[in-house]
Amino acid sequence: MAEPSFDAATASATRKNKADPGWKYCHSLVEGDTNTIVCNFCGKITKGGITRAKQHLIGKSGNVAACKKTPPNVVEELKEYMATKKSGTTYSTSGSGNMANIRNFEFGELIGCDGSEEDEFADSCNAAASAKTKCGTKKGPMDKFCKNPENAINRRKMEMLRKMNIRESVDKNEVLKVHQHIARFWYQAGLSFNLIKLKSFENMVAAIGQYGPHLPIPSYHDIRVPLLKTEVEYTENLMKGHREQWVKYGCTIMSDAWTDRKQRYIINFLINSQAGTMFLKSVDGSDFVKTSEKLFELLDAIVEEVGEENVVQVVTDNGSNYVLAGKLLEEKRKHIYWTPCAAHCIDLMLEDIGKLPLIRKTIRRAINLVGFIYAHSSTLSLLRNFTNKRELVRHAITRFATSYLTLERLHKEKANIRKMFTSDEWTLNKLSMEPKGKEAAKVVLMPSFWNSVVYTLKVMAPLVKVIRLVDGEKKPAMGYIYEAMDKAKETIIKSFNSNESKYKDVFAIIDKRWNCQLYRPLHAAAHFLNPEFFYDNTDLEFDFEFTNGLFECIKKLIPQFDVQQKILTELHLYKIGAEHFGSDFAMAQRKSHSPTYWWRMFGSQTPNLQKLAIKNFEFDLQCFRM
């Protein structure tokens, strides 16, 4: 079978070129490259093939500088070769005169077929035709077996690389075109840029690519009716795993109340479990939201739908109507807890703290100052010039957390804001002469205002951190709320150097909200069963608040008496750190992993206590994502 014409042409050109006597006195700069050549006598590098190198060796003027070190006999030899080449006769490298059609059997080519750059170009274009025309000789059937394999392999690799580069260049342009179409759709539809990160979008693009060209787009009816029904069925199938976890470890029912544009009071119900959080249903509560009995009936119906035996707690906000509904639910469902939203409780703490005279005055002044700056384009432009475009307003998960963040930003930009209100630009601004402008400048230059800002930040900052904990999704907050509140109070004490007069009123507000709303036996039990805290505090097992909360949880969540007794027996092993609980693995991972993970890994020898512990940890403490 004949070789491809490309390989034959390239191989022919290179082999014949190497037969030129000029190669005895020069060599390629790079192996396989016959275009860039180095003179053996003077070391000069020439480009243009062996012909230009020979012109350099013999000192032919015009195209290249002459070599001054070439011996006379070499010059004569090369001139003779070039003359015979021009006359059309064949040159012999052995010096025995002209010999017609001497074949180089090593390379399977005719030595007399080499020559100038014109020959190389001709061979590259059509090696077979060139050999037949110039030498009058056809290749024999064995010639293809006499080629240098390394040269052939290198040329094939170079050709494949060239084709790949072309393909990559073409592909890159095509990819850019497709991406531009996707981006145009994104912009026209007004979609959030974050949606590009969705796994479903990645799956969609892959599916379109696998289908290939001529994919018909779905119609308006398709995407509105049949495809929607199919997706609902698909989603319901996904939820089967969630329902299985409800049965195994229990779940939390969470309510999410909000008001839509039509002023309807919509209550969303979500279920949180080991498998994550899933949406259950929405209810229009506009007609009965103010009635506790009706809310109780609604919550009771949701519990019935999920299954009473699967529900550990129901979480709602702290409104008086929900509080009463929760108590009614606990009276009917003896093995279910009603728990107020932790984030809402802490936000109410901040709200009550914000009513203290000094803090209320500070927040009001800060809001008026920021409002004045943002109400006028000239002052806003000045602010951005002095703060390097950093804003003063930052929205947070709750209204009072937003006030805190605004105060925090004001304090960070204190120096720049003062410079702004003492600058020439502000003095020349007509707003500086108006009453509101004078009041804003007065507040900014008032030392007592900034002292009050610092005081307010010291009080509110630790509580905002607790809100971030219970609102976060990195880890369930159930086993950490006690520790978080204790650390918040400790931080406040340290920030005022234990001067009780400065935080006495604040602690009274925190304790009142904690005792009447936020404290729950579930929180105490979760803290007791959290290995990160239990093994660091040897007195925890003697603390009545925590042990009582744990015992209440056992009685309420585990109705079977025999299982209760097993849990109490297994609890002793946990307390003394026996068996797996005291292993090197368990001790090393008490703080580095979540309590749920730790109990799954090391609680197998106490299966009943293990199940209770996992039930306590994997739940949210909030009624909604604010």
Side-chain angles (χ1 to χ4, degrees), residues 457-517:
L457 291 177
K458 287 181 178 180
V459 169
M460 298 178 72
L463 295 176
V464 171
K465 287 184 178 180
V466 179
I467 290 183
R468 287 172 176 163
L469 169 69
V470 298
D471 187 65
E473 298 182 1
K474 290 184 177 180
K475 62 180 179 181
M478 182 65 81
Y480 295 91
I481 184 66
Y482 255 96
E483 184 72 8
M485 289 302 299
D486 285 345
K487 284 187 175 180
K489 295 174 76 172
E490 289 174 5
T491 302
I492 293 173
I493 292 172
K494 289 179 181 178
S495 65
F496 292 111
N497 296 320
S498 300
N499 187 347
E500 188 177 356
S501 62
K502 292 188 177 181
Y503 57 80
K504 181 179 179 181
D505 295 338
V506 173
F507 276 19
I509 293 171
I510 293 174
D511 292 339
K512 181 181 178 180
R513 285 288 180 184
W514 173 265
N515 294 329
C516 72
Q517 290 183 325

Side-chain angles (χ1 to χ4, degrees), residues 371-386:
F372 170 77
I373 294 174
Y374 276 79
H376 303 89
S377 58
S378 59
T379 52
L380 184 57
S381 177
L382 265 181
L383 173 74
R384 289 170 177 167
N385 286 337
F386 278 90

Side-chain angles (χ1 to χ4, degrees), residues 257-267 283-286:
W258 59 289
T259 304
D260 68 4
R261 293 180 180 179
K262 296 181 180 180
Q263 298 303 305
R264 293 179 301 180
Y265 191 84
I266 307 298
I267 307 174
V283 176
D284 184 354
S286 304

Side-chain angles (χ1 to χ4, degrees), residues 239 268-271 277-282:
M239 293 302 103
N268 295 334
F269 288 97
L270 303 96
I271 312 298
T277 301
M278 66 165 278
F279 171 80
L280 182 66
K281 65 192 304 183
S282 289

